[in-house]
Amino acid sequence: MVAKEVRRVLAQLDEVIEAHTSTPAHMSAGNIAGTDLPSLTRKRAVHDDLTALASEFVHRLAAEAARDFSAGAREGVPLTVRTEGAHGSAVQKTRDQQSDCLGIQDWAGQVAGPTYLEKRFGIPRSTLHWWQRQNDVVALRKGARKHVFPLAQFIDGRPAPGIRQVLASISNPRLAWFWLIRPSPLLDGRVPIEMLRQDLAEEVVLAARDFSLT
């Protein structure tokens, strides 16, 4: 879109240059030779400079957009924006939501909401909500009512076995996830969530029970 607008503006500039440098019918070549040619040369130089600057601007804009997109993809944050209603409000709302997710990801790792999980991993919302009600997944509150789900707890589109038992011992989801993703002295320095992903749930469940008693 930006490149198209730049081309349109440059095309208008060409028309202006042609209009100001064309030879009127009542003037002879001798009358304009000493005046219009230097002016034409300067205007053509300006046009070339503007073209070069516009090209550099578009390339820099594209590079910056690519970096932003890559950063969002690495963080696993869905970059969706609602287009209905006031565009500015929708953009700001999305930025606020992304900021909330990034705040959680500072300590919890990659997280995502139900929409992303459904599109990326094929987990229906109804199934995800059922797992949440049964404490089969760790759900971290984001804002007043919404939740996000740490991605590390899913294996092949399903929650790792043993999470329900861990949450039975550590009922606070944030505390439970904080414990799951860090090396535990009760497990000889191993990381509980990695053990759950390796089907070593029994050891993790016992360690979670011991942790809740400390």
Side-chain angles (χ1 to χ4, degrees):
M1 291 173 60
V2 174
K4 183 178 180 180
E5 182 65 15
V6 169
R7 287 195 297 268
R8 184 186 68 80
V9 172
L10 290 177
Q12 290 182 342
L13 180 61
D14 283 336
E15 294 176 1
V16 172
I17 291 175
E18 293 298 331
H20 283 278
T21 58
S22 59
T23 304
H26 66 277
M27 295 183 67
S28 65
N31 291 334
I32 65 169
T35 58
D36 283 356
L37 186 56
S39 176
L40 175 60
T41 301
R42 286 195 300 271
K43 290 174 180 177
R44 288 295 182 187
V46 170
H47 179 275
D48 292 342
D49 289 343
L50 287 174
T51 302
L53 288 172
S55 178
E56 182 181 359
F57 167 74
V58 171
H59 280 87
R60 287 187 177 182
L61 188 66
E64 183 177 351
R67 284 195 299 270
D68 291 344
F69 179 82
S70 297
R74 286 195 302 271
E75 291 158 355
V77 179
L79 300 178
T80 55
V81 178
R82 284 193 171 190
T83 56
E84 66 271 15
H87 179 69
S89 298
V91 170
Q92 185 60 48
K93 181 179 179 182
T94 300
R95 287 176 178 171
D96 292 342
Q97 292 174 347
Q98 292 175 1
S99 178
D100 290 342
C101 282
L102 290 176
I104 295 174
Q105 288 180 157
D106 286 342
W107 66 270
Q110 294 184 351
V111 300
T115 300
Y116 181 82
L117 289 171
E118 185 171 21
K119 290 182 177 180
R120 185 67 180 271
F121 299 107
I123 302 174
R125 285 174 174 264
S126 57
T127 301
L128 185 63
H129 291 156
W130 170 257
W131 288 341
Q132 184 179 351
R133 288 194 297 270
Q134 299 299 314
N135 279 341
D136 285 327
V137 293
V138 175
L140 304 176
R141 186 178 296 277
K142 179 179 73 78
R145 298 169 57 187
K146 296 183 179 180
H147 291 83
V148 291
F149 301 84
L151 299 185
Q153 67 184 314
F154 296 102
I155 306 173
D156 299 328
R158 297 186 60 83
I163 289 180
R164 178 188 295 187
Q165 291 84 347
V166 170
L167 289 173
S169 297
I170 311 173
S171 58
N172 185 300
R174 286 179 176 264
L175 179 59
W177 188 249
F178 189 87
W179 181 79
L180 280 166
I181 61 176
R182 282 162 176 76
S184 172
L186 299 171
L187 295 167
D188 299 323
R190 290 174 292 177
V191 179
I193 189 62
E194 293 180 1
M195 296 180 64
L196 291 183
R197 293 174 62 86
Q198 296 168 11
D199 203 21
L200 299 173
E202 185 176 353
E203 293 182 64
V204 175
V205 170
L206 292 175
R209 189 177 306 163
D210 292 341
F211 174 80
S212 67
L213 299 175
T214 58

